[in-house]
Amino acid sequence: MESQEFVTRTSTIRLESNSLVRVTILPGAQQALDDARENGGVMQKIMQGRQFRALVDLRQMKSQDREAREYYTQPGHTPGLVAIALLIGSPMSRVIGNLYMGFSKSDIPTRLFTSEAEALQWLETFPIAEMQTQPR
């Protein structure tokens, strides 16, 4: 699978060949509900109904409003997403990650990490269903 990359107002979203969607929040980004919707739409577009794991790098995010967090945690906002690893490091990313985890009603397994290697290792524990081929 060829990698694909999209840039939104607040994020770079990259589909990688190993069933991983890598979301990197741009430095100083302040996410609002419209940004969350845009990012969710890009995720749905590149996943095309397939299953993926997500690594979300929050380390350089400046802020995220409550409505954006609620959007990301609503059931079914990104069909096919099997697990989310949130990469934190800065004090602000830690606050945002903890708020997400504390108020999350998402049914998608989610964990905070300070190590990218540990986050990727955890994500690999979630199996990805093989894509069913459609009859021609």
Side-chain angles (χ1 to χ4, degrees), residues 69-82:
R69 279 191 304 280
E70 288 173 354
Y71 174 82
Y72 286 129
T73 60
Q74 68 185 348
H77 97 277
T78 308
L81 200 52
V82 299

Side-chain angles (χ1 to χ4, degrees), residues 77-97:
H77 97 277
T78 308
L81 200 52
V82 299
I84 304 169
L86 300 174
L87 195 54
I88 59 171
S90 70
M92 183 51 66
S93 69
R94 185 174 301 277
V95 167
I96 292 167

Side-chain angles (χ1 to χ4, degrees), residues 17-18 26 46 52 97 105 117 119 127 133:
S17 61
N18 59 346
L26 299 175
I46 63 176
F52 286 91
K105 295 175 182 72
T133 57

Side-chain angles (χ1 to χ4, degrees), residues 81-85 106-111 122-123 126:
L81 200 52
V82 299
I84 304 169
S106 177
D107 54 354
I108 302 169
T110 305
R111 246 178 97 184
W122 178 76
L123 287 170
F126 293 89

Side-chain angles (χ1 to χ4, degrees), residues 31-81:
Q31 278 196 351
L33 179 57
D34 287 344
D35 300 309
R37 286 182 177 144
E38 180 183 23
N39 293 338
V42 169
M43 293 276 290
Q44 289 179 22
K45 177 181 177 181
I46 63 176
M47 290 170 62
Q48 298 178 4
R50 296 170 290 183
Q51 290 188 334
F52 286 91
R53 305 168 190 105
L55 175 66
V56 182
D57 187 342
L58 302 173
R59 292 178 291 186
Q60 297 190 54
M61 177 184 276
K62 184 174 181 180
S63 66
Q64 183 180 69
D65 69 21
R66 182 177 54 85
E67 291 83 9
R69 279 191 304 280
E70 288 173 354
Y71 174 82
Y72 286 129
T73 60
Q74 68 185 348
H77 97 277
T78 308
L81 200 52

